[in-house]
Amino acid sequence: MSNTNNTPESQGSQQSSHKSQRTQKTQDSQESRRPRPMEVLRDARAQLAELTGMTAESVSSFERTEEGWSLEVEILELERVPDTMSLMASYQVELDAEGQLTGYRRVRRYERGRADARGPGGR
């Protein structure tokens, strides 16, 4: 048989200790819970499409930065027939560490069927 004091003071102390441990674990998990790259990609495309009203077709570049994430997203700006004549645009998209869009800008506009030039004088 053990000798334990189960007074209201000791119960309150135990409950307080358990509560602070749970609070610390919750804070730790929120701080360590960063979105996975695929979550960032999906969310960025959805956020950009919602803001612009245009279809985000693909992500052509993606990297983690000091502030969060930086992506280049290809957008269908104007659909034409034939499809190779549709107007596309590349958008530079910035997101914070949690994956929330903080800014975007169009950096290039092109016809879907056109390839980039390969340097001076090249095609």
Side-chain angles (χ1 to χ4, degrees), residues 99-110:
Q100 295 301 307
L101 195 140
T102 58
Y104 69 92
R105 65 186 170 91
R106 184 172 65 198
V107 293
R108 183 170 80 98
R109 199 169 190 205
Y110 58 97

Side-chain angles (χ1 to χ4, degrees), residues 6-81:
N6 200 8
T7 64
E9 292 83 14
S10 67
Q11 288 175 352
S13 174
Q14 289 172 354
Q15 290 172 349
S16 175
S17 174
H18 289 299
K19 184 177 180 182
S20 69
Q21 288 173 352
R22 282 193 307 266
T23 301
Q24 184 64 41
K25 286 180 183 177
T26 301
Q27 288 172 346
D28 289 345
S29 68
Q30 287 174 347
E31 289 173 9
S32 65
R33 171 64 176 114
R34 291 187 177 153
R36 294 179 179 167
M38 287 307 296
E39 293 172 331
V40 172
L41 291 172
R42 284 186 201 109
D43 290 347
R45 287 178 63 181
Q47 290 176 67
L48 187 61
E50 186 176 344
L51 286 170
T52 63
M54 295 179 273
T55 303
E57 293 207 344
S58 65
V59 176
S60 56
S61 74
F62 174 74
E63 69 179 309
R64 183 183 278 285
T65 64
E66 288 182 15
E67 296 80 27
W69 303 90
S70 177
L71 293 81
E72 191 161 314
V73 180
E74 305 307 313
I75 298 275
L76 174 62
E77 286 202 335
L78 181 61
E79 193 168 7
R80 291 185 175 160
V81 176

